[in-house]
Amino acid sequence: MAKDKSAKKRLLLKVGSNTLTQESDAISREKLADIAKQVAQLKEEYDFIIVSSGAVAAAKEFVKLQDTETNIVVKQALASIGQPYLMRLFHEAFSKEGLLTSQCLLSYADFDNEDTQQNISNTITVLLDNGYIPIINENDTVATDEIKFGDNDKLAALTASLLQVDLCVIATNTYGIYTKESMKKGIPETIQEVTDLEELKMEVSDAKSSHGTGGMTSKIQAAEILQKNNVELWIVNGLVSDFLLLSCSNRNNFTRVI
C-alpha cells in the first residue's frame, strides 16, 4: 500500500535506551511525557512512527535474572519481560495527550521478504490512517541482531525506507555527530550538514553508549540506508526537553544527513 502523497508528512522517531532512561537506571516517565507532548503538538503536520529501544532497561528496573545461560539469552528474556511494561508506560504517557498507540514487533529478517514487507507497510498505513501511533521494537525473543549490534538504528532506517517517510529522527545523547578535532580539544562541535558519508565516517568514534549497544557507527550505517532511499536523517540530542520542537524550528544543534 503506497503512501498517499496528499496526506500529512511521515516522521519516524527512533529513541534509544539512553534517551528513555535519561542516562539513569530506569525508564524516565518525564522523558516519555516530553516525547508525548511534542508529538501532540506536531501531529497536525506529521504522522508519527516510533522505533523504541528500552525493553531490557525497563525489565532491569524490577527483575534480576540468574545468569545461567549465555548473556544474550538473558538479555532476550529481559526483553520479553520488559516489553509489555515499556508499552504500558508509552500508553500512559501518550493517552494523557489524547494519543493512541499500538505495538509492532519486527526483526531484520522481516525486511528480506517482499510479502512480509508489504504486510508491514499495509498494517502501519492502516494504523496511521486511523490515528494510531505504531511503537516498533525489535522482536528480541527470536532475533538477536539488535541486542548484539544495532540498538534499533538499522531497524529504524529499514522501516523509514519501507514506509517512505519524509524524515527520520534518531534521538541520542549527543548534539549530533561531532568533529574528531573538536573532541580532541574537549569542546565538541556538531557537524551540521552531511552529504558525503565517506567523509563522515572519518569523524566517527566506535564508542558505545552506556545502556545502548549502537554508538555513532550504527548511526552511520542507518544513514547509508536512508540516503540510498532518499530519506533525510536528523541526529539530535534526545536528552534535551522539547528536542523535536527545537530541531524543527532550528533552535538547537544537530546533524542533518541529506
Side-chain angles (χ1 to χ4, degrees), residues 154-183:
K154 183 178 178 182
L155 179 60
L158 290 170
T159 305
S161 299
L162 175 64
L163 299 176
Q164 303 173 356
V165 306
D166 298 279
L167 176 63
C168 179
V169 178
I170 293 181
T172 185
N173 57 352
T174 64
Y175 288 95
I177 299 176
Y178 302 137
T179 66
K180 188 176 291 185
E181 189 61 31
S182 71
M183 293 297 287

Side-chain angles (χ1 to χ4, degrees), residues 20-56:
L20 286 178
T21 62
Q22 294 281 69
E23 298 191 312
S24 71
D25 293 325
I27 301 295
S28 168
R29 288 169 173 78
E30 290 77 13
K31 177 49 61 179
L32 282 171
D34 176 52
I35 294 171
K37 179 191 68 174
Q38 294 177 80
V39 170
Q41 291 187 38
L42 292 167
K43 68 178 182 179
E44 296 305 316
E45 183 177 358
Y46 294 104
D47 280 330
F48 278 86
I49 303 107
I50 296 177
V51 173
S52 174
S53 303
V56 173

Side-chain angles (χ1 to χ4, degrees), residues 130-151:
N130 286 276
Y132 280 81
I133 299 169
I135 311 291
I136 300 170
N137 200 355
E138 172 80 9
N139 190 354
D140 292 328
T141 303
V142 298
T144 62
D145 289 345
E146 186 270 341
I147 291 176
K148 293 165 87 173
F149 301 112
D151 198 25

Side-chain angles (χ1 to χ4, degrees), residues 12-126:
L12 185 142
L13 170 65
K14 184 265 175 176
V15 286
S17 297
N18 274 280
T19 298
L20 286 178
T21 62
Q22 294 281 69
E23 298 191 312
S24 71
D25 293 325
I27 301 295
S28 168
R29 288 169 173 78
E30 290 77 13
K31 177 49 61 179
L32 282 171
D34 176 52
I35 294 171
K37 179 191 68 174
Q38 294 177 80
V39 170
Q41 291 187 38
L42 292 167
K43 68 178 182 179
E44 296 305 316
E45 183 177 358
Y46 294 104
D47 280 330
F48 278 86
I49 303 107
I50 296 177
V51 173
S52 174
S53 303
V56 173
K60 285 182 176 178
E61 287 187 37
F62 54 90
V63 171
K64 184 173 183 181
L65 297 183
Q66 185 177 356
D67 195 350
T68 56
E69 299 286 346
T70 60
N71 191 40
I72 192 68
V73 174
V74 172
K75 285 185 176 180
Q76 286 177 298
L78 286 169
S80 175
I81 295 166
Q83 181 64 27
Y85 179 58
L86 178 64
M87 283 303 304
R88 191 185 85 191
L89 294 177
F90 264 105
H91 173 75
E92 290 174 352
F94 278 52
S95 63
K96 289 178 181 177
E97 298 290 342
L99 302 170
L100 302 171
T101 57
S102 65
Q103 174 182 265
C104 299
L105 294 178
L106 303 175
S107 66
Y108 296 153
D110 293 328
F111 294 87
D112 292 334
N113 182 286
E114 287 187 10
D115 289 338
T116 307
Q117 288 185 48
Q118 191 63 53
N119 289 337
I120 294 168
S121 179
N122 290 346
T123 299
I124 291 179
T125 297
V126 169

